[in-house]
Amino acid sequence: MWRDHLTEIIVFSALFLLVSAMGFVAARWRAPKDMAHLDEWGLGGRSFGGWITWFLVGGDLYTAYTFVAVPALMFGAGAAGFFAVPYTIVIYPLVFLVLCRLWSVSHRHGFVTPADFVRRRFDSPVLALLIAITGIVATMPYIALQLVGIEAVLKTMGVTGDSALARHLPIIIAFAILAAYTYQSGLRAPALIAFVKDSLIYVVILVAVIYLPYKLGGWGSIFDAADAKFAASPNPNDGILLNANNQLQYVTLAFGSALALFLYPHSITGVLASRNRDVIKRNMSALPAYSLLLGLIALLGFMAIAAGVKPLPGAKEGTVDSNTVVPVLFDQQFPDWFAGVAYAAIGIGALVPAAIMSIAAANLFTRNIYKEYLKRDASPAQEANVSKITSLVVKVGAVACIVFLDPQFSIDLQLIGGVIILQTLPAVALGLYTRWFHRGALIAGWVAGMGLGMWMLYQIPNPASKRAHFGGSAFPLSDFGFDTKKTIYVGIVAVLVNLVVAALVTLALRAAKVADGVDGTTPDDYFADEGDPRVTPGPDRDADSAREPVA
């Protein structure tokens, strides 16, 4: 009952209202003369310095879902859940220079989305449309997943109801408030709130990794309890160490997830809001601090085992909601007031990425669908207005996913989203370094990779939810004819096929002398920095457009 958690609810509500007020105040923080421009509403004026960018990007990548799902996976499967730690370490050296090039060419040309870059680089509206649609489709379930984190906290505090509407009413109210201040303040709102969100998470985790091991008998007892639990598991892949059957899945999932992370539109939005190249370089060097935090968060799963935590019942009879593992652990082990602080960290941790994701999806629709196909002469004010409205629609869609779909299906959709967004790697990431691929070949590669990826995902069942298809991203190699029990991450296979097809079709189209459009960028565009002259934005500008200083 919620009355048993009154102190937690009061602390949670107070902190939630505080950050909501900050969201509305953010419209006046670093306020421009005119918010009616995507550069201002959608990218914060492209003016964020090192600290703001660090909190913004960190708050964007390390979400409420991370807070509950990674420990839940450790609780249920053991070492396999630790894949999130190496992939968030590997990614930063990989993207250190890539993101600097993307920022520079975007600064020079006024790009707001990765599809803007693809449109200019490859002179292909169709390819840009595919990149935009891929980004929107991959982002939508990610937004819905932030609600899973809030729902787990509310369920633990006893804030539930008999009907679907009553059960989800607090989430609907929370996202209505989020929608209101995001509509008003744009990217400045999550940027300001990220300071509070990340500070709370750091405090909660540092207290947890000191206080909980002391209370549970030390790290040795925690790992012994986890080892005993997995030794009794009927699944041979569960354990505190990997085995021969799940190592390939672990490696490919970690590497594939790393490649996908900064292809997501919301990750790129945080990068493009930076003031200059040095800000990005410093952040790529400092963001691994969040990976240290993530490693500590993951160990909460083992602490929950040692504490004897029992997840709360799931929506379907006879099931459990594994996402409640961490909230129940906090409820059992922390004083009520600090449990309320911890719940607020998770709840607020959902608002920051959800706001950035909805803005990123809205920017993609506005720049690469609305302006490209519906109103080519749209003014900056019209673009900003359409993006604001679209961000509201995106949030409504995310809430609808949670209300009407099984939360487990939303989780599986997010895994599918990683496979989907990986198919933009040849055009976006490799396109920053080479124009060798033919634009038609990139489209063919996208179709091949996406088609194979969807087929593989369709073949994967989810026994826990009794669903025969789209039940995860671990594909058994035996389905390819190999005599093995090993599995592999679907995204890696799909993107490799994408690249091979793109390369082969490029050679064929070059041999046939098929026109390849005009590259609208120049080599020096990829090294532009703050204060350098910019090209007047517009997808129809010729490659030889004159550089003009932009105020």
Side-chain angles (χ1 to χ4, degrees):
M1 291 290 293
W2 65 267
R3 292 181 181 86
D4 299 328
H5 302 274
L6 190 58
T7 301
E8 298 166 357
I9 293 172
I10 291 173
V11 173
F12 175 86
S13 301
L15 289 170
F16 191 90
L17 291 174
L18 171 64
V19 298
S20 298
M22 292 176 63
F24 287 106
V25 170
R28 299 184 180 182
W29 177 53
R30 295 169 167 251
K33 294 180 180 179
D34 184 12
M35 280 283 282
H37 196 292
L38 278 187
D39 270 12
E40 295 296 341
W41 184 84
L43 291 179
R46 301 181 188 260
S47 62
F48 293 160
W51 279 108
I52 299 173
T53 301
W54 190 71
F55 278 107
L56 178 66
V57 176
D60 185 18
L61 301 182
Y62 301 86
T63 67
Y65 174 65
T66 304
F67 210 129
V68 298
V70 172
L73 189 55
M74 295 285 288
F75 179 89
F82 220 68
F83 83 94
V85 178
Y87 102 68
T88 57
I89 295 172
V90 168
I91 183 58
Y92 297 112
L94 292 177
V95 300
F96 185 89
L97 295 178
V98 174
L99 292 180
C100 288
R101 291 176 70 89
L102 178 60
W103 183 92
S104 291
V105 71
S106 299
H107 171 77
R108 177 65 64 87
H109 290 269
F111 299 151
V112 177
T113 70
D116 283 348
F117 161 71
V118 170
R119 172 69 171 87
R120 184 68 64 87
R121 176 68 150 162
F122 295 99
D123 195 18
S124 175
V126 174
L127 182 59
L129 177 64
L130 291 177
I131 299 299
I133 292 174
T134 303
I136 293 171
V137 171
T139 302
M140 283 296 294
Y142 221 148
I143 301 172
L145 277 184
Q146 305 316 308
L147 296 173
V148 172
I150 298 180
E151 191 171 48
V153 165
L154 294 174
K155 184 184 291 188
T156 305
M157 291 192 295
V159 183
T160 59
D162 296 328
S163 67
L165 179 61
R167 188 166 62 252
H168 294 105
L169 186 60
I171 291 179
I172 295 172
I173 293 172
F175 255 54
I177 296 172
L178 170 68
Y181 65 66
T182 304
Y183 185 91
Q184 175 180 318
S185 305
L187 194 65
R188 286 173 170 81
L192 189 58
I193 294 172
F195 282 94
V196 177
K197 173 253 185 187
D198 291 349
S199 298
L200 283 175
I201 287 181
Y202 268 101
V203 169
V204 169
I205 295 305
L206 290 177
V207 169
V209 298
I210 296 172
Y211 175 72
L212 292 181
Y214 169 77
K215 193 172 181 181
L216 296 172
W219 286 107
S221 298
I222 291 172
F223 278 93
D224 286 344
D227 194 28
K229 174 182 182 289
F230 296 128
S233 172
N235 188 339
N237 291 329
D238 293 348
I240 62 172
L241 297 175
L242 297 173
N243 60 43
N245 288 331
N246 60 12
Q247 288 175 356
L248 179 63
Q249 169 67 18
Y250 182 91
V251 171
T252 54
L253 178 59
F255 186 62
S257 299
L259 294 178
L261 187 61
F262 277 97
L263 291 172
Y264 278 104
H266 58 275
S267 304
I268 292 175
T269 295
V271 169
L272 297 187
S274 304
R275 184 167 54 222
N276 55 42
R277 289 168 61 96
D278 284 344
V279 167
I280 296 171
K281 292 177 181 178
R282 289 197 299 270
N283 270 272
M284 292 305 106
S285 301
L287 278 168
Y290 278 95
S291 299
L292 171 63
L293 185 69
L294 181 59
L296 300 177
I297 290 174
L299 291 175
L300 291 174
F302 285 175
M303 295 182 203
I305 295 173
V309 166
K310 303 294 183 185
L312 297 179
K316 293 182 179 180
E317 187 176 351
T319 64
V320 296
D321 184 357
S322 61
N323 290 313
T324 59
V325 166
V326 169
V328 171
L329 174 68
F330 290 163
D331 182 51
Q332 293 179 357
Q333 301 296 324
F334 284 150
D336 288 350
W337 70 270
F338 194 76
V341 173
Y343 293 158
I346 298 174
I348 297 168
L351 300 182
V352 173
I356 302 171
M357 291 170 191
S358 64
I359 289 171
N363 288 346
L364 280 168
F365 173 82
T366 301
R367 288 296 289 258
N368 307 114
I369 298 177
Y370 173 76
K371 185 168 184 177
E372 182 74 44
Y373 293 97
L374 302 178
K375 191 174 178 60
R376 297 183 68 85
D377 60 346
S379 67
Q382 289 173 322
E383 286 184 13
N385 190 52
V386 169
S387 199
K388 288 180 180 181
I389 295 171
T390 305
S391 74
L392 297 179
V393 174
V394 167
K395 293 183 185 71
V396 171
V399 172
C401 286
I402 290 298
V403 173
F404 298 110
L405 295 179
D406 178 4
Q408 180 59 48
F409 187 51
S410 296
I411 294 170
D412 293 336
L413 279 177
Q414 194 276 327
L415 294 174
I416 296 170
V419 176
I420 291 173
I421 201 65
L422 262 176
Q423 307 316 310
T424 66
L425 184 142
V428 177
L430 298 185
L432 288 165
Y433 282 91
T434 178
R435 184 62 165 71
W436 181 80
F437 288 104
H438 193 284
R439 59 183 179 179
L442 288 170
I443 295 172
W446 182 93
V447 171
M450 197 68 73
L452 177 64
M454 290 300 102
W455 175 81
M456 293 173 70
L457 291 167
Y458 181 80
Q459 304 300 317
I460 301 173
N462 187 326
S465 60
K466 299 178 181 179
R467 195 168 59 253
H469 307 291
F470 296 109
S473 59
F475 188 82
L477 287 177
S478 58
D479 286 7
F480 280 146
F482 294 98
D483 184 17
T484 178
K485 294 182 179 179
K486 294 181 179 179
T487 59
I488 190 169
Y489 177 51
V490 171
I492 285 291
V493 178
V495 77
L496 287 175
V497 169
N498 184 338
L499 288 166
V500 169
V501 170
L504 293 176
V505 176
T506 293
L507 294 173
L509 293 178
R510 293 267 191 269
K513 298 182 179 179
V514 176
D516 193 17
V518 177
D519 183 359
T521 67
T522 60
D524 64 305
D525 289 344
Y526 297 91
F527 300 94
D529 207 343
E530 182 183 18
D532 288 349
R534 291 170 58 186
V535 176
T536 303
D540 294 317
R541 294 281 297 196
D542 186 84
D544 296 324
S545 299
R547 266 72 179 155
E548 302 171 357
V550 176

